């Protein structure tokens, strides 16, 4: 099912009324997007219950997927014409694309000096991480919610924990820095959170917990059953001494906590209970080539169609600026009548 079949408005232009004549990606609330998330596939090797349906997402027909060359061109436009300062590849699972090294290598050549990061589940990463680093990958975030093999298998519907742990160790070994682990807070893995933190401390990788958002394909999320950051703090606090440090910078979503008075920290992203929408600096490109300015807004601008109809770089940049100008103020999860977006997290690119 494509964006259009899902009923997502995929339009070619947006109103620019009131927009200042500036090159970068500014919105009506004076936020500037510098951080680009590029989803490169809807496919995945896991089926995390808070993200994917058990059968996986409907396949995007090959002709609707951005090619490596198209991704590199759009990244180049984002950096050189729109002021993007960091690019992160995501999905679905970016490792599912055989041409990932080619995509990263192409971007490294066209936008030298711009950090090229990837968010991955790390399944099979150990066999590719050297090539990815050589191609120009600079940073990596691995999603790992538990180090209990049974919990992992039931949460992801796949028994792949050993491969994930091996992938994290391989990323550290090739010198990718920082290697960060992201864990979604779920009721079934909450009691294992201290073990996960201890494992990350032992391995020398940074850990961040994130509240579950209503972006699961199965629409099971409920405000009453999600684990809020406050509950995690009390569970971690029973084993570790935690002191609040604050955010690394105002647009950083994670609040950092010092662990046991040492150098190590743990980050907590309270995306639902303490929204950071007011400081959001993200713009997103879906695997089908639409610009999506907010996770929670189904309004998208189609760049792929314009690109394939011969639009030049400035025309594409102009469309992108329009998408950003119309970005919504916030996710609205707590608003009466909130409706989750049509796309789930794996179909947007987290
Ligand atoms: N497959 C890769 C991975 O898992 O890292 C990249 C794509 S995944 C959609 C990106 C991030 O979104 C992951 O860190 C994942 O944990 C997070 N995520 C997925 N569904 C979520 C949800 N409902 N709420 C919060 N985070 C979610
Ligand atoms: Fe796949 Fe990542 Fe979604 Fe898990 S969170 S199902 S690994 S895309």
């Amino acid at each position: 099912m494509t964006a259009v079949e899902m009923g997502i408005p995929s339009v070619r232009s947006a109103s620019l009324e009131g927009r200042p004549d500036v090159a970068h990606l500014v919105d009506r609330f004076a936020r500037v997007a510098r951080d680009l998330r590029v989803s490169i596939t809807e496919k995945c090797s896991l089926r995390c219950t808070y993200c994917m349906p058990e059968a996986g997402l409907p396949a995007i027909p090959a002709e609707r997927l951005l090619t490596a060359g198209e991704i590199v061109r759009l990244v180049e436009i984002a950096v050189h014409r729109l002021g993007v300062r960091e690019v992160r590849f995501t999905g679905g699972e970016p490792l599912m694309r055989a041409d990932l090294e080619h995509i990263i290598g192409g971007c490294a050549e066209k936008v030298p000096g711009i950090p090229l990061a990837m968010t991955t589940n790390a399944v099979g990463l150990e066999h590719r991480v050297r090539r990815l680093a050589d191609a120009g990958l600079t940073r990596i975030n691995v999603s790992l919610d538990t180090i209990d093999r049974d919990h992992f298998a039931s949460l992801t519907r796949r028994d792949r924990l050993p491969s994930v742990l091996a992938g994290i160790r391989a990323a550290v070994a090739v010198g990718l820095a920082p290697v960060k682990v992201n864990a979604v807070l779920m009721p079934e893995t909450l009691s294992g959170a201290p073990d996960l933190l201890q494992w990350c401390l032992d391995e020398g990788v940074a850990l961040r917990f994130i509240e579950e958002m209503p972006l699961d394909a199965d629409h099971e999320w409920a405000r009453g059953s999600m684990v809020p950051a406050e509950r995690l703090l009390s569970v971690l606090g029973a084993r570790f001494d935690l002191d609040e440090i604050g955010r690394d910078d105002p647009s950083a979503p994670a609040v950092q906590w010092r662990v046991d008075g040492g150098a190590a920290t743990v980050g907590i992203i309270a995306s639902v209970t303490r929204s950071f929408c007011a400081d959001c600096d993200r713009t997103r490109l879906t695997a089908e080539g639409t610009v999506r300015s907010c996770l929670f807004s189904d309004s998208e601008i189609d760049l792929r169609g314009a690109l394939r109809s011969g639009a030049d770089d400035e025309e594409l940049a102009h469309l992108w600026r329009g998408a950003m100008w119309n970005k919504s103020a916030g996710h609205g999860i707590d608003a009466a009548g909130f409706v989750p977006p049509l796309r789930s997290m794996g179909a947007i690119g987290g």
Side-chain angles (χ1 to χ4, degrees):
M1 188 162 51
T2 67
V4 174
E5 286 162 347
M6 277 196 281
I8 296 173
S10 181
V11 292
R12 293 281 291 273
S13 63
S15 165
L16 288 169
E17 201 186 323
R19 188 186 185 279
D21 187 18
V22 291
H24 53 260
L25 293 171
V26 64
D27 70 21
R28 291 167 299 151
F29 307 97
R31 296 170 297 188
V32 177
R34 302 277 186 206
D35 179 350
L36 168 61
R37 306 280 156 119
V38 186
S39 174
I40 60 173
T41 180
E42 82 296 357
K43 295 188 170 42
C44 190
S45 45
L46 301 180
R47 296 285 185 273
C48 305
T49 53
Y50 49 74
C51 177
M52 288 261 172
E54 186 154 17
L57 289 168
I60 300 175
E63 71 277 9
R64 290 184 168 268
L65 202 64
L66 288 181
T67 65
E70 288 170 340
I71 293 170
V72 173
R73 180 169 171 212
L74 291 174
V75 165
E76 205 181 347
I77 291 171
V79 170
H80 291 146
R81 292 182 183 262
L82 300 171
V84 160
R85 286 290 161 264
E86 175 169 357
V87 179
R88 175 173 294 278
F89 299 101
T90 179
E93 175 46 48
L95 291 169
M96 298 297 283
R97 262 188 91 146
D99 59 357
L100 179 58
E101 288 82 350
H102 189 56
I103 293 169
I104 289 172
C107 291
E109 189 189 324
K110 297 291 185 188
V111 296
I114 295 294
L116 298 176
M118 172 169 80
T119 300
T120 174
N121 63 27
V123 172
L125 178 66
E126 63 176 315
H127 307 298
R128 281 173 87 178
V129 71
R130 163 56 63 199
R131 274 180 282 140
L132 291 168
D134 289 348
L137 184 70
T138 48
R139 297 178 191 168
I140 197 160
N141 283 7
V142 175
S143 305
L144 171 65
D145 306 316
T146 175
I147 53 155
D148 179 295
R149 191 164 173 169
D150 292 336
H151 284 164
F152 183 96
S154 73
L155 200 64
T156 67
R157 302 175 174 121
R158 299 287 185 275
D159 182 20
R160 303 304 306 274
L161 180 66
S163 179
V164 175
L165 300 186
I168 295 173
R169 290 182 172 129
V172 172
V174 301
L176 285 177
V179 175
K180 291 185 184 171
V181 167
N182 289 337
V184 176
L185 276 169
M186 297 295 286
E188 50 271 60
T189 50
L190 181 62
S191 63
D195 288 344
L196 178 62
L197 175 54
Q198 188 60 58
W199 187 86
C200 290
L201 295 173
D202 294 344
E203 298 289 330
V205 295
L207 173 62
R208 301 182 311 174
F209 288 95
I210 179 162
E211 286 176 344
E212 187 201 3
M213 295 181 278
L215 291 169
D216 56 312
D218 294 335
H219 297 297
E220 303 261 305
W221 183 94
R223 189 73 157 84
S225 56
M226 64 156 278
V227 180
E230 288 303 321
R231 216 164 127 217
L232 170 73
L233 280 168
S234 72
V235 170
L236 291 181
R239 186 168 331 162
F240 302 96
D241 283 334
L242 299 176
D243 294 313
E244 185 169 348
I245 303 171
R247 294 174 198 270
D248 290 339
D249 69 69
S251 66
V255 174
Q256 297 295 334
W257 294 73
R258 189 181 312 287
V259 181
D260 287 342
T265 61
V266 58
I268 300 185
I269 304 179
S271 34
V272 176
T273 58
R274 273 195 232 166
S275 142
F276 47 87
C277 298
D279 296 313
C280 180
D281 66 348
R282 291 182 192 163
T283 179
R284 292 186 151 80
L285 199 53
T286 67
E288 294 152 285
T290 59
V291 174
R292 188 170 174 113
S293 294
C294 174
L295 282 172
F296 289 89
S297 165
D298 283 321
S299 166
E300 297 179 1
I301 296 277
D302 176 27
L303 295 189
R304 188 196 69 222
L307 186 153
R308 292 186 184 171
S309 321
D312 66 21
D313 287 0
E314 190 44 37
E315 285 165 339
L316 292 168
H318 183 73
L319 286 172
W320 206 324
R321 290 186 194 108
M324 183 63 187
W325 179 243
N326 290 285
K327 176 170 172 145
S328 44
H331 57 44
I333 294 172
D334 284 327
F338 168 77
V339 179
L342 292 168
R343 285 187 190 266
S344 59
M345 190 64 130
I348 302 169

